[in-house]
């Protein structure tokens, strides 16, 4: 349900916002009156969007710092990510491990690190990191993805406590699988495994995740920080 003008006067930066969950969240914030700047590395995907965009490699810490100062967002949603290959830990290529962690965890750190001082200076801010149920439970044959998302959850908890008296909150969302283009990076066997673990028997939707993200980005979530919210169709046990 769209809440009219909920984000009037607020500016959001959404990483990985040209597609998937990031795009859904960006569109929802814009529909609710916010100003949105989408960050993505895919120039063609950005060109197709009807909103402000910035082509950026979020694994470049210096580029992130400069862009964050220029954008000066009230809301940051870190959604950029990749799955990496599906294989056992002992067969996992080292270069792929590093690639997954660079985007899924290091880039989130760079963005959070750059946004926190900007938001602290305003006395208000919302940081929302997209984690995964895999970061809570660990998915077999997805060691890099699981470990990187566990790192996002730990970072969120740490930063949320550091910012607790500043007016800035930091929370994470841990979805189970949501059918987006990221499924193209997975084997069918892994997709089937993920669905089999969800008690509701279905994948989540982009709209469901966007709804949670928008609540966390709103004034209503002012007493919520350092927490990781389950959106797993009943899969999560903690």
């Amino acid at each position: 349900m769209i809440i009219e003008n909920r984000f009037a006067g607020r500016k959001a930066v959404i990483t990985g916002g040209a597609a998937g969950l990031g795009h859904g969240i960006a569109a929802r914030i814009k529909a609710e009156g916010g100003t949105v700047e989408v960050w993505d590395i895919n120039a063609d995907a950005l060109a197709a969007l009807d909103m402000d965009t910035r082509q950026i490699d979020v694994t470049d810490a210096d580029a992130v710092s400069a862009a964050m100062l220029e954008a000066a967002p009230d809301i940051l949603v870190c959604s950029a990510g990749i799955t990496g290959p599906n294989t056992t830990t002992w067969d996992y290529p080292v270069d792929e491990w590093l690639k997954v962690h660079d985007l899924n965890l290091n880039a989130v750190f760079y963005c959070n690190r750059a946004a926190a001082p900007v938001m602290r200076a305003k006395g208000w801010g919302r940081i929302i990191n997209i984690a995964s149920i895999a970061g809570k439970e660990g998915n077999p044959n997805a060691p890099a993805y699981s470990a990187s998302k566990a790192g996002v959850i730990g970072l969120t908890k740490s930063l949320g406590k550091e910012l607790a008296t500043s007016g800035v909150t930091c929370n994470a969302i841990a979805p189970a699988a949501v059918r987006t283009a990221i499924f193209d990076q997975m084997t069918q066997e892994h997709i089937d495994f993920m669905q089999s673990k969800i008690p509701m028997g279905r994948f989540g939707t982009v709209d469901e995740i966007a709804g949670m993200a928008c609540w966390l980005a709103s004034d209503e979530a002012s007493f919520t920080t350092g927490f990781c919210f389950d959106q797993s169709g009943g899969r999560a046990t903690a």
Side-chain angles (χ1 to χ4, degrees):
M1 181 181 70
I2 300 297
I3 300 177
E4 189 174 354
N5 293 324
R6 174 159 53 167
F7 298 113
R10 302 293 189 195
K11 180 175 182 179
V13 163
I14 318 292
T15 76
L21 293 180
H23 181 259
I25 295 168
R28 178 74 172 266
I29 291 176
K30 182 180 178 183
E32 296 194 4
T35 300
V36 177
E37 182 173 291
V38 169
W39 290 11
D40 208 286
I41 200 169
N42 188 327
D44 290 339
L46 289 173
L49 300 181
D50 182 23
M51 56 185 73
D52 293 337
T53 63
R54 184 186 301 263
Q55 186 181 15
I56 185 172
D57 178 358
V58 289
T59 68
D60 182 335
D62 291 338
V64 166
S65 293
M68 199 69 72
L69 283 173
E70 185 176 339
D74 305 292
I75 299 162
L76 169 67
V77 180
C78 292
S79 184
I82 53 174
T83 65
N86 294 133
T87 189
T88 57
T89 300
W90 54 90
D91 286 328
Y92 210 94
V94 171
D95 60 336
E96 292 293 336
W97 173 275
L98 296 174
K99 181 179 178 182
V100 170
H101 277 75
D102 205 24
L103 182 57
N104 289 8
L105 179 56
N106 293 346
V108 174
F109 164 65
Y110 300 151
C111 290
N112 284 198
R113 177 178 180 269
V118 172
M119 294 179 180
R120 287 181 66 216
K122 297 181 180 186
W124 194 97
R126 299 287 185 266
I127 297 172
I128 300 149
N129 296 322
I130 303 300
S132 170
I133 192 63
K136 289 186 173 184
E137 298 189 352
N139 281 345
N141 299 314
Y145 185 78
S146 299
S148 66
K149 293 299 187 177
V152 169
I153 293 170
L155 170 63
T156 299
K157 290 177 178 291
S158 179
L159 182 57
K161 291 177 172 67
E162 291 167 356
L163 293 171
T165 60
S166 68
V168 181
T169 67
C170 180
N171 293 286
I173 299 173
V178 177
R179 189 176 290 280
T180 68
I182 203 169
F183 272 36
D184 296 340
Q185 303 174 29
M186 306 175 192
T187 65
Q188 188 59 47
E189 181 182 10
H190 191 70
I191 293 169
D192 293 342
F193 164 78
M194 292 189 300
Q195 185 165 356
S196 74
K197 297 285 286 184
I198 301 173
M200 285 188 179
R202 67 170 177 88
F203 295 122
T205 69
V206 171
D207 284 346
E208 287 169 332
I209 309 306
M212 173 66 80
C214 285
W215 178 73
L216 289 172
S218 74
D219 287 318
E220 294 177 351
S222 56
F223 196 53
T224 300
T225 197
F227 194 71
C228 182
F229 286 80
D230 163 36
Q231 283 193 283
S232 67
R235 176 178 168 181
T237 57

